[in-house]
Amino acid sequence: MEETARYDGLAGRVLTGSALLSVLVMAHHPTSMHSGIGGPVHAAMILLIGLSTYGLLHIALRRGIGRPAMLAGAIAWGVALLGDIGAATINGFAVPALASRLPTVGPDVFALAWEFNQALARLGVVATGVAFLLWGHGLLHWQGWPAKALGALGLAAGLVPVALLLAGAVRMNVAGAILVYALESAWMFATGVYLWSGRFAKDLALSASGGM
């Protein structure tokens, strides 16, 4: 039990730190393909996505990956990884490589790369929203108000970005991405604190017979 609690703490610290750092890194996202920091910023985002995955999947495994909501959420998160990492790879590495070949590369190539980036970024938002909705809904059935509050926050973090995107209120340009990822990171930060504090283990024991 002590070893398991230590692993909870590690996963919580990783999730909390990656959520905070992702907001910081996004604040330095370049607005031009000619910026020299595009590659490092997107590489850092890919690394932070991987760290977030460690924390989130730790929770899924602890709760029981065979539970329908946990498994479906993990699959949705896997789809989100495909979208987010794909979008970061295009803008962080493919587009700068194309820019270095100007003027032999025409504007249509950059337009195509942008559309691919946007399609993958939107896929990431929707799939992340589905994962957060599934995981958040499950927490609503746990014992104790912290779990229920975190569940409600998960529903908001899953629903609001998707609603804004589908309504056309935000686009996945730099400003829109910062807003969307900040909302998502808020739930991951809160979840990391919940896990790190040891409350997760206590509520898990209380709620072992139900929930997500």
Side-chain angles (χ1 to χ4, degrees):
M1 181 65 70
E2 183 178 343
E3 185 177 45
T4 301
R6 186 169 69 250
Y7 291 155
D8 285 349
L10 173 61
R13 289 191 292 273
V14 169
L15 189 54
T16 301
S18 60
L20 285 174
L21 287 173
S22 65
V23 175
L24 177 63
V25 171
M26 275 302 299
H28 292 82
H29 192 292
T31 56
S32 169
M33 65 182 176
H34 300 290
S35 173
I37 66 170
V41 164
H42 288 89
M45 288 301 299
I46 292 172
L47 173 62
L48 292 170
I49 290 169
L51 291 174
S52 298
T53 301
Y54 173 83
L56 292 171
L57 291 189
H58 173 85
I59 296 173
L61 290 169
R62 285 274 279 128
R63 183 56 181 144
I65 194 65
R67 290 176 177 269
M70 294 304 297
L71 180 57
I75 293 171
W77 181 256
V79 175
L81 292 180
L82 173 66
D84 291 340
I85 293 175
T89 300
I90 289 172
N91 266 18
F93 303 101
V95 170
L98 290 170
S100 69
R101 296 171 59 186
L102 288 173
T104 58
V105 176
D108 289 345
V109 175
F110 290 105
L112 179 62
W114 172 252
E115 292 302 328
F116 271 121
N117 167 270
Q118 289 294 286
L120 287 168
R122 289 191 292 268
L123 173 64
V125 173
V126 173
T128 297
V130 172
F132 285 6
L133 284 169
L134 287 166
W135 291 336
H137 180 265
L139 285 168
L140 292 176
H141 299 283
W142 279 35
Q143 301 294 323
W145 69 264
K148 295 182 184 299
L150 189 62
L153 182 60
L155 295 182
L159 182 60
V160 171
V162 174
L164 291 174
L165 185 66
L166 295 180
V170 298
R171 298 175 58 227
M172 291 307 290
N173 52 20
V174 175
I178 289 175
L179 173 62
V180 167
Y181 296 149
L183 292 171
E184 294 173 350
S185 294
W187 187 71
M188 289 191 285
F189 175 83
T191 303
V193 171
Y194 180 64
L195 186 61
W196 184 1
S197 69
R199 182 73 195 214
F200 170 81
K202 296 176 182 178
D203 289 349
L204 178 61
L206 290 172
S207 309
S209 61
M212 63 179 179

